[in-house]
Amino acid sequence: MHLCPGDAPTSHSKTLTTGIDQAARIASTAREDAFTQAFRDHSSELYQRCLGWMGGSEADADEAFSQASLHMFRKFSTCAPQVGNLRAWMLRLTYNVCMDQHRLRRQRREEELDPEISPDTSVCPLLPGGGARDPERSYLGKELQQYLAKAIRTLPPRLRTTMLHQLALGDYQRVAEELAITEVNVRKRMQEARAALRDHLASYRNGADPRRLTSQVRTLSPAQSHGPRPDRHLPGYSKTVRWVRVVIDGESEAESTLFMPYCPTELTIQKHRSLDRYIRQHPTGWTRRRVLGRALVAEGQPRQAISHLEYVALRQPQWLDSWLDLATAHQLLEEAESEAGVYERALASVTHEPSRSYLRGCHARTLGNLQQAEKCFTLAASQAPGQVAPQVALAEVRRDGGYSYEALTALDAARAADPRDLAALISMPHLYRFAGRSRQAAEQLNSALVLTGSSPVVLGPWLVTRLRRNGGVSQPQSPETRCWRSLIEFPELKAGIYSNLALAEALTGESRGIGRRVTQLLDQAPKLRQSWLSCAHYLDWRGRPRQALLMLDQARSLGAAGHDLELTACRLLVRAGEYWRLSRQIEVIRERYSEDWEALATIAWALTASSLAPHHALELSTAALARQPQLPAAWIEHGQRLAGQGRARQAIQALEQGRELLPDDDGFELAAVAALEIARIERRRGRTDACRRWAQEAMAATGALKELDRVEQRLLQRQIQPFTESSPSRAATSAENSFDLLATAWRYRAHLAETLRRRSAS
């Protein structure tokens, strides 16, 4: 029946309409029941998948789960009859929603500050992939970059801090946790900051002078990793590095380097009160406790952080970072038993297998079982390929075990996994010199400086490298001088250890004011072991080994002696001529570091220089070489010991082998040292032409040091110059005979000291 608009419905038509409505309601109810039952069966699995696909963020997982549920309800009636596997359909739809969330977030993260700016990266090098081929466009891009950096620096403090954190972290939730504010507040601040920057950029496009914005300019580089996505179960890659001073039981102090998985800020009084107030209002929450605990550790207060980190570990027992934060606090306090207990509790809670292997390695390293730790870290690296944390830990264990070449191999693997990881960039720089890779170490230090900006841990070594490259000369307004002044102002470095020793080591001849500042270390931090070690290094540099030994003894009394302290003491005892103490020191080193090639090589050098047991020195040098046959420095050290024993042919072969192992475009310092030693050997054998040829080759190798280390270049050239002359000069003869005369004098002094000691004992 067809009804016209003006016709009244009959009773038959009403009955038909009512039946249709009832059928529709019954069908709708049936569809809703079917969807409710299917959703109830798979909702738990869907949420866990959302949590994993969204990187462990509960807020993002909740948002994705809600959107996926809404899409499922809308599409269930049309798609369900055609779907054979309902679970797979629901998982696929949830996965698509999560990926859409990632795309939207990436678009927001890469969104330009002003939509009118061209997205061409060649215009502004600040954008990813920047760098123009046209000089004019390159200049304009650099000017725009500097103007934008100045504009950010001129923002109000709260907007500037929020924007810099967002550029570094790239996630509003993480910025909110770091600054102890709400995510809504973070978004509001970013909106205000972008509006202010739009005004600056508008004035720039209208012809404003870029120099009108006066502020301290620092290159901005978002710390976004372009490498493989890190495993969320393993500790994240390092985004910042801190130098922390810790008071240990009120008796001594220690300083340590912390690689933090986030960008810590200073724990101001206002932020501390805000976090304490929030924790009192929400005693069961753990996110703010984690922020407070990590900030306390970064500020050098691990004792106060333990209670907060303990609560976080109990609330999140499956999260590896919660246990590692707690273990770090105990490690800073030098509580090995408590640290090992943390790892044991973590192993009882964490189920992720690569994380368990990593924890077993940390536990074994804490107990001093380096072989077991190496096996566990190797297993963790194989279970989680492409991750940085196991490789860096493996490198540290191999370094502690004396396997320098293997440690460098692990660091290379870590950098290949993530070229922007700070721990892989700046860890163990002295190992690169042993392998003849000083240029690579300098390049990595520059990369770390770009990533960290102003970390004193990176600025100190960078200052040493720049000063030595400039030949120890620093102008009043140079970047090196500004870096030195900024280092002294750091509250973590009140003693100025890095800044003062950087100049002491780099300037070599210019010591104006250095002695006074280094002496002030003891007044500023008398319980700090590093203060006494710094004074010892300075006194040794000034040619006062006996006074330096007194400083080392005081440093040893403040805590357990380490690897560097024991080897430094061995070298100082040789220079001071105290051979009766040298014998005991050698026994201590052999007992503690019997597998360390550097320790064995140092003992061999000490025995040769003191003439106590030269034949035994050769045996130790051979053993050191057998442990590290791939290391160029090991061959060169062995060649020098062979030359001291008069085995010229074997010494030349060892030195040439060390030169062959050096990289083609690096290792010029070791190449010059090896060539100089061969020139000495040829001079003793009476082969003047061969001596001059090797001396010229050594001089050519030092020429390449001009771009890396002019201080070392000058020192080597002074030693090489006498051997380039046609006939032996007085300086060359003195250089050859001074070692034997000094060794004879040291032996006579040791004999007199031993005689006087026996007489006093009797």
Side-chain angles (χ1 to χ4, degrees):
M1 176 183 293
H2 300 280
L3 298 177
C4 297
D7 296 340
T10 62
S11 59
H12 180 71
S13 64
K14 292 181 179 179
T15 304
L16 181 60
T17 304
T18 303
I20 294 175
D21 294 340
Q22 291 179 354
R25 285 196 297 269
I26 294 174
S28 177
T29 304
R31 287 195 299 270
E32 292 178 1
D33 293 341
F35 173 78
T36 302
Q37 183 62 33
F39 186 79
R40 186 179 301 166
D41 294 339
H42 304 291
S43 61
S44 178
E45 182 182 4
L46 292 175
Y47 181 77
Q48 293 298 326
R49 292 298 182 93
C50 286
L51 196 61
W53 287 329
M54 299 308 295
S57 175
E58 295 183 359
D60 296 339
D62 292 339
E63 183 179 0
F65 183 75
S66 300
Q67 292 188 10
S69 304
L70 184 60
H71 285 309
M72 290 178 198
F73 181 78
R74 292 174 178 174
K75 297 182 179 181
F76 185 82
S77 58
T78 57
C79 298
Q82 306 174 4
V83 174
N85 189 340
L86 189 60
R87 172 181 172 275
W89 175 76
M90 299 176 76
L91 286 174
R92 185 62 185 180
L93 192 146
T94 305
Y95 175 82
N96 293 338
V97 171
C98 292
M99 294 303 104
D100 291 339
Q101 290 291 326
H102 283 295
R103 294 188 188 96
L104 291 175
R105 184 184 305 170
R106 191 180 305 113
Q107 291 175 2
R108 289 195 299 266
R109 189 178 305 170
E110 296 176 356
E111 183 182 13
E112 300 179 39
L113 296 174
D114 192 338
E116 296 181 11
I117 297 179
S118 171
D120 186 6
T121 58
S122 62
V123 176
C124 181
L126 182 64
L127 300 176
R133 297 180 180 179
D134 186 6
E136 181 179 0
R137 292 171 64 87
S138 177
Y139 176 79
L140 293 176
K142 183 178 296 186
E143 182 183 88
L144 177 59
Q145 176 187 3
Q146 295 178 357
Y147 187 86
L148 184 59
K150 289 182 180 180
I152 293 177
R153 289 296 176 188
T154 58
L155 292 174
R158 65 184 187 91
L159 301 182
R160 181 176 65 249
T161 303
T162 306
M163 171 155 281
L164 292 177
H165 276 75
Q166 203 279 335
L167 288 173
L169 301 178
D171 186 6
Y172 289 108
Q173 182 181 2
R174 297 181 64 185
V175 174
E177 293 178 358
E178 179 59 32
L179 298 179
I181 58 179
T182 62
E183 185 175 348
V184 177
N185 197 349
V186 173
R187 295 181 181 275
K188 181 62 177 177
R189 291 185 182 183
M190 288 299 300
Q191 182 181 2
E192 295 178 5
R194 288 193 178 99
L197 291 179
R198 287 191 186 99
D199 295 338
H200 286 303
L201 291 174
S203 62
Y204 173 78
R205 287 195 302 271
N206 293 332
D209 188 358
R211 294 170 294 181
R212 292 183 60 186
L213 286 174
T214 58
S215 62
Q216 186 178 2
V217 182
R218 293 181 182 177
T219 303
L220 299 178
S221 55
Q224 302 290 339
S225 175
H226 299 286
R229 180 181 177 182
D231 193 334
R232 63 185 181 91
H233 295 281
L234 289 172
Y237 62 92
S238 303
K239 286 188 176 180
T240 188
V241 59
R242 295 291 297 268
W243 185 263
V244 180
R245 179 180 298 173
V246 181
V247 179
I248 303 174
D249 299 330
E251 298 179 356
S252 63
E253 298 179 2
E255 293 191 344
S256 179
T257 303
L258 286 181
F259 294 97
M260 310 296 289
Y262 64 101
C263 185
T265 57
E266 293 185 5
L267 190 61
T268 60
I269 297 177
Q270 182 179 1
K271 180 182 177 182
H272 198 163
R273 291 176 179 175
S274 176
L275 289 173
D276 287 338
R277 182 170 58 254
Y278 184 90
I279 291 172
R280 287 195 302 269
Q281 295 175 356
H282 306 83
T284 59
W286 61 271
T287 56
R288 293 295 187 273
R289 287 182 181 270
R290 180 191 63 181
V291 174
L292 178 59
R294 284 180 168 179
L296 287 171
V297 170
E299 294 297 326
Q301 305 179 51
R303 183 73 65 185
Q304 292 81 353
I306 287 179
S307 59
H308 300 287
L309 297 177
E310 185 79 33
Y311 184 82
V312 174
L314 294 177
R315 286 292 309 274
Q316 298 292 325
Q318 292 286 340
W319 189 31
L320 178 61
D321 279 346
S322 62
W323 297 104
L324 294 181
D325 292 338
L326 182 58
T328 300
H330 288 290
Q331 181 183 3
L332 291 176
L333 295 172
E334 298 185 356
E335 298 174 348
E337 295 182 0
S338 301
E339 183 184 357
V342 171
Y343 292 132
E344 292 173 359
R345 292 162 54 195
L347 285 170
S349 303
V350 178
T351 58
H352 186 241
E353 195 56 37
S355 301
R356 291 180 59 83
S357 301
Y358 185 82
L359 286 170
R360 293 191 191 99
C362 294
H363 182 261
R365 182 175 58 182
T366 304
L367 298 179
N369 191 349
L370 298 182
Q371 294 182 353
Q372 181 65 24
E374 182 178 1
K375 293 180 181 179
C376 294
F377 287 135
T378 304
L379 179 61
S382 62
Q383 292 173 341
Q387 302 305 317
V388 179
Q391 296 289 354
V392 174
L394 182 61
E396 293 175 351
V397 169
R398 289 174 175 175
R399 185 271 316 272
D400 295 339
Y403 296 94
S404 302
Y405 183 81
E406 289 77 5
L408 287 175
T409 303
L411 285 179
D412 292 339
R415 284 193 308 276
D418 187 357
R420 304 168 70 88
D421 183 80
L422 294 177
L425 286 174
I426 67 175
S427 295
M428 298 167 277
H430 65 285
L431 298 185
Y432 291 92
R433 182 178 179 274
F434 295 153
R437 295 160 60 179
S438 302
R439 183 190 297 273
Q440 180 182 350
E443 294 175 353
Q444 292 176 185
L445 191 60
N446 292 332
S447 301
L449 186 64
V450 171
L451 292 175
T452 58
S454 60
S455 174
V457 183
V458 182
L459 282 177
W462 178 84
L463 176 61
V464 175
T465 303
R466 287 294 297 265
L467 286 174
R468 295 184 70 91
R469 192 189 70 177
N470 297 338
V473 179
S474 179
Q475 300 298 328
Q477 300 299 326
S478 65
E480 294 80 13
T481 303
R482 293 198 300 268
C483 173
W484 178 35
R485 292 172 181 171
S486 63
L487 276 173
I488 297 177
E489 299 299 327
F490 273 100
E492 308 97 306
L493 296 175
K494 293 180 180 178
I497 292 173
Y498 266 132
S499 57
N500 293 315
L501 285 186
L503 268 87
E505 294 176 1
L507 300 183
T508 63
E510 298 246 349
S511 59
R512 292 174 297 179
I514 301 301
R516 176 177 55 83
R517 292 191 181 93
V518 175
T519 305
Q520 289 176 352
L521 296 176
L522 304 181
D523 299 331
Q524 296 174 352
K527 296 183 179 180
L528 184 63
R529 282 171 289 181
Q530 189 65 29
S531 300
W532 298 91
L533 287 175
S534 301
C535 289
H537 286 300
Y538 172 73
L539 292 172
D540 180 36
W541 171 68
R542 294 300 302 271
R544 302 174 184 175
R546 291 183 179 275
Q547 298 181 18
L549 284 172
L550 296 178
M551 299 297 173
L552 283 184
D553 294 338
Q554 187 64 30
R556 189 182 282 108
S557 66
L558 292 176
H563 176 270
D564 296 336
L565 190 147
E566 298 293 356
L567 297 188
T568 302
C570 183
R571 300 185 187 100
L572 288 175
L573 288 171
V574 173
R575 298 189 183 105
E578 298 186 6
Y579 297 141
W580 60 278
R581 289 182 57 186
L582 177 62
S583 301
R584 292 187 298 176
Q585 183 68 24
I586 288 176
E587 292 298 329
V588 170
I589 295 176
R590 293 195 63 182
E591 181 180 356
R592 296 180 181 177
Y593 312 105
S594 58
E595 299 295 329
D596 189 346
W597 85 269
E598 186 181 359
L600 295 177
T602 302
I603 295 175
W605 171 85
L607 293 176
T608 302
S610 61
S611 299
L612 293 178
H615 296 288
H616 188 47
L618 188 58
E619 296 177 1
L620 291 174
S621 179
T622 305
L625 179 62
R627 284 172 172 77
Q628 292 291 287
Q630 307 94 338
L631 209 60
W635 284 96
I636 295 176
E637 285 280 344
H638 185 60
Q640 292 175 339
R641 302 290 82 77
L642 288 170
Q645 294 295 319
R647 303 185 181 184
R649 181 175 300 178
Q650 299 178 11
I652 292 176
Q653 292 178 354
L655 292 169
E656 290 180 345
Q657 179 65 27
R659 285 171 56 87
E660 291 179 0
L661 292 176
L662 293 172
D664 295 335
D665 57 346
D666 207 343
F668 304 109
E669 178 183 356
L670 291 180
V673 171
L676 175 60
E677 189 65 32
I678 296 177
R680 288 197 182 103
I681 296 173
E682 297 293 352
R683 172 67 62 85
R684 294 170 186 170
R685 298 172 70 182
R687 300 181 178 180
T688 308
D689 295 337
C691 172
R692 191 184 309 111
R693 177 170 54 83
W694 279 106
Q696 292 174 354
E697 190 165 345
M699 190 66 73
T702 60
L705 286 175
K706 183 177 181 180
E707 300 178 358
L708 296 176
D709 192 343
R710 294 188 182 181
V711 173
E712 187 68 22
Q713 180 192 33
R714 288 202 303 260
L715 294 176
L716 287 173
Q717 286 178 352
R718 291 174 186 173
Q719 302 178 40
I720 297 170
Q721 185 63 36
F723 295 92
T724 59
E725 301 174 359
S726 57
S727 59
S729 61
R730 181 178 299 179
T733 305
S734 175
E736 293 180 13
N737 298 333
S738 60
F739 178 82
D740 296 333
L741 293 175
L742 187 59
T744 303
W746 281 344
R747 285 198 303 269
Y748 182 68
R749 181 188 295 179
H751 175 70
L752 289 179
E754 184 67 20
T755 303
L756 292 175
R757 188 179 63 83
R758 290 179 180 178
R759 289 181 180 179
S760 61
S762 62

XYZ file of all heavy atoms in Angstrom, residues 135-169:
288
model
N 75.313 28.393 -2.475
C 75.899 29.156 -1.354
C 74.948 30.193 -0.785
O 74.899 30.404 0.425
C 77.140 29.795 -1.988
C 77.465 28.932 -3.166
C 76.156 28.437 -3.676
N 74.182 30.872 -1.660
C 73.274 31.900 -1.161
C 72.180 31.296 -0.295
O 71.877 31.786 0.798
C 72.665 32.660 -2.338
C 71.724 33.786 -1.908
C 71.166 34.537 -3.097
O 71.529 34.167 -4.240
O 70.374 35.468 -2.893
N 71.602 30.190 -0.777
C 70.557 29.526 0.007
C 71.134 28.955 1.298
O 70.480 28.956 2.347
C 69.903 28.425 -0.824
C 69.099 28.949 -1.999
C 68.665 27.811 -2.902
N 67.761 26.903 -2.217
C 66.456 27.064 -2.148
N 65.881 28.137 -2.691
N 65.696 26.194 -1.523
N 72.375 28.465 1.236
C 73.005 27.945 2.446
C 73.206 29.051 3.471
O 72.974 28.867 4.668
C 74.339 27.286 2.092
O 74.994 26.834 3.253
N 73.643 30.225 3.013
C 73.850 31.345 3.939
C 72.522 31.782 4.556
O 72.421 32.041 5.764
C 74.507 32.513 3.213
C 74.668 33.740 4.076
C 75.705 33.828 5.004
C 73.768 34.801 3.969
C 75.838 34.947 5.809
C 73.895 35.921 4.769
C 74.941 35.998 5.685
O 75.069 37.103 6.484
N 71.474 31.898 3.719
C 70.179 32.299 4.247
C 69.636 31.269 5.231
O 69.024 31.623 6.250
C 69.193 32.509 3.090
C 69.491 33.695 2.157
C 68.507 33.715 1.007
C 69.447 35.009 2.937
N 69.871 29.999 4.911
C 69.421 28.963 5.838
C 70.142 29.032 7.172
O 69.537 28.880 8.235
N 71.458 29.283 7.139
C 72.213 29.399 8.387
C 71.744 30.618 9.173
O 71.638 30.584 10.406
C 73.705 29.489 8.082
C 74.581 29.544 9.331
C 76.050 29.577 8.973
C 76.468 28.290 8.280
N 77.935 28.259 8.043
N 71.456 31.715 8.476
C 70.974 32.910 9.168
C 69.624 32.655 9.820
O 69.375 33.064 10.964
C 70.869 34.070 8.173
C 70.424 35.377 8.808
C 70.266 36.472 7.775
O 69.165 36.575 7.201
O 71.249 37.198 7.530
N 68.746 31.955 9.099
C 67.446 31.633 9.670
C 67.591 30.716 10.879
O 66.886 30.867 11.881
C 66.561 30.985 8.604
C 65.167 30.513 9.066
C 64.368 31.682 9.624
C 64.432 29.838 7.917
N 68.510 29.772 10.786
C 68.739 28.864 11.913
C 69.206 29.629 13.149
O 68.706 29.427 14.255
C 69.780 27.813 11.529
C 70.153 26.877 12.675
C 71.294 25.967 12.303
O 71.838 26.085 11.214
N 71.666 25.076 13.183
N 70.164 30.524 12.974
C 70.654 31.300 14.102
C 69.570 32.214 14.665
O 69.459 32.377 15.888
C 71.873 32.114 13.676
C 73.081 31.270 13.293
C 74.251 32.108 12.824
O 74.141 33.327 12.732
N 75.365 31.454 12.521
N 68.788 32.807 13.784
C 67.713 33.683 14.250
C 66.685 32.896 15.057
O 66.206 33.350 16.099
C 67.050 34.360 13.056
C 66.042 35.419 13.436
C 66.458 36.719 13.686
C 64.695 35.122 13.551
C 65.548 37.705 14.050
C 63.780 36.085 13.913
C 64.209 37.382 14.156
O 63.312 38.345 14.511
N 66.354 31.702 14.571
C 65.383 30.873 15.283
C 65.936 30.433 16.634
O 65.217 30.410 17.638
C 65.021 29.657 14.431
C 63.946 28.715 14.988
C 62.656 29.484 15.211
C 63.727 27.554 14.052
N 67.229 30.085 16.676
C 67.832 29.692 17.951
C 67.828 30.852 18.937
O 67.539 30.686 20.130
C 69.262 29.196 17.717
N 68.142 32.061 18.456
C 68.107 33.234 19.333
C 66.685 33.508 19.810
O 66.466 33.879 20.971
C 68.640 34.455 18.586
C 70.141 34.435 18.327
C 70.573 35.705 17.623
C 72.068 35.696 17.346
N 72.515 36.931 16.669
N 65.719 33.340 18.912
C 64.329 33.588 19.303
C 63.891 32.634 20.403
O 63.178 33.026 21.341
C 63.409 33.460 18.085
N 64.310 31.388 20.313
C 63.964 30.427 21.365
C 64.620 30.816 22.683
O 64.025 30.702 23.752
C 64.360 29.005 20.931
C 63.496 28.556 19.746
C 64.217 28.024 22.080
C 63.865 27.203 19.200
N 65.873 31.303 22.606
C 66.569 31.699 23.828
C 65.939 32.922 24.486
O 66.119 33.126 25.690
C 68.044 31.971 23.519
C 68.849 30.723 23.198
C 68.904 29.813 24.384
N 69.589 28.575 24.068
C 69.651 27.537 24.882
N 69.079 27.601 26.057
N 70.268 26.428 24.521
N 65.242 33.750 23.718
C 64.634 34.955 24.286
C 63.240 34.709 24.829
O 62.620 35.644 25.353
C 64.567 36.052 23.214
O 63.824 35.575 22.084
C 65.964 36.468 22.765
N 62.731 33.490 24.723
C 61.412 33.196 25.277
C 61.449 33.287 26.802
O 62.506 33.172 27.421
C 60.969 31.791 24.852
C 60.655 31.581 23.373
C 60.384 30.103 23.109
C 59.455 32.415 22.941
N 60.304 33.478 27.438
C 60.268 33.428 28.909
C 60.782 32.077 29.411
O 60.693 31.070 28.696
C 58.779 33.632 29.229
C 58.234 34.362 28.050
C 59.003 33.863 26.861
N 61.313 32.038 30.627
C 61.938 30.791 31.120
C 61.024 29.574 31.064
O 61.453 28.495 30.649
C 62.333 31.144 32.558
C 62.502 32.636 32.552
C 61.489 33.155 31.583
N 59.742 29.740 31.464
C 58.868 28.566 31.477
C 58.580 28.077 30.061
O 58.503 26.862 29.816
C 57.567 28.892 32.212
C 56.700 29.938 31.538
C 55.481 30.278 32.389
N 54.560 31.148 31.671
C 53.558 30.692 30.920
N 53.368 29.388 30.815
N 52.765 31.530 30.292
N 58.436 29.009 29.093
C 58.199 28.588 27.712
C 59.468 28.030 27.090
O 59.419 27.040 26.347
C 57.684 29.775 26.894
C 56.383 30.430 27.365
C 55.990 31.547 26.406
C 55.269 29.401 27.484
N 60.617 28.657 27.376
C 61.884 28.170 26.809
C 62.212 26.766 27.309
O 62.598 25.888 26.538
C 63.007 29.144 27.158
C 64.362 28.722 26.588
C 65.435 29.756 26.868
N 65.711 29.893 28.285
C 65.407 30.959 29.009
N 64.801 31.989 28.455
N 65.702 31.016 30.296
N 62.051 26.543 28.623
C 62.342 25.219 29.185
C 61.424 24.164 28.588
O 61.867 23.064 28.229
C 62.181 25.261 30.708
O 63.041 26.270 31.246
C 62.535 23.913 31.319
N 60.158 24.480 28.459
C 59.209 23.505 27.903
C 59.533 23.194 26.447
O 59.506 22.028 26.034
C 57.778 24.048 28.022
O 57.506 24.401 29.378
C 56.774 23.007 27.554
N 59.853 24.215 25.659
C 60.152 23.971 24.248
C 61.426 23.154 24.079
O 61.487 22.228 23.248
C 60.265 25.294 23.501
C 60.777 25.154 22.073
S 60.259 26.481 20.981
C 58.578 25.964 20.620
N 62.468 23.456 24.854
C 63.712 22.698 24.744
C 63.503 21.240 25.145
O 64.072 20.329 24.531
C 64.795 23.339 25.615
C 65.290 24.720 25.155
C 66.309 25.273 26.133
C 65.884 24.635 23.761
N 62.687 21.000 26.158
C 62.393 19.621 26.545
C 61.582 18.912 25.465
O 61.794 17.720 25.195
C 61.637 19.596 27.876
C 62.527 19.660 29.070
N 63.152 20.819 29.476
C 62.920 18.697 29.945
C 63.869 20.577 30.553
N 63.759 19.301 30.854
N 60.652 19.625 24.853
C 59.859 18.989 23.795
C 60.728 18.667 22.583
O 60.560 17.627 21.946
C 58.707 19.921 23.410
C 57.527 19.215 22.754
C 57.745 18.945 21.280
O 58.525 19.641 20.630
N 57.063 17.945 20.745
N 61.687 19.544 22.263
C 62.608 19.253 21.164
C 63.497 18.062 21.484
O 63.863 17.297 20.597
C 63.470 20.487 20.875
C 62.774 21.682 20.205
C 63.721 22.863 20.144
C 62.286 21.313 18.818
N 63.863 17.902 22.754
C 64.757 16.811 23.135
C 64.022 15.495 23.285
O 64.509 14.451 22.857
C 65.480 17.160 24.437
N 62.827 15.532 23.895
C 62.111 14.300 24.205
C 61.070 13.945 23.149
O 60.846 12.764 22.890
C 61.442 14.411 25.575
C 62.395 14.687 26.751
C 61.609 14.832 28.043
C 63.423 13.582 26.876
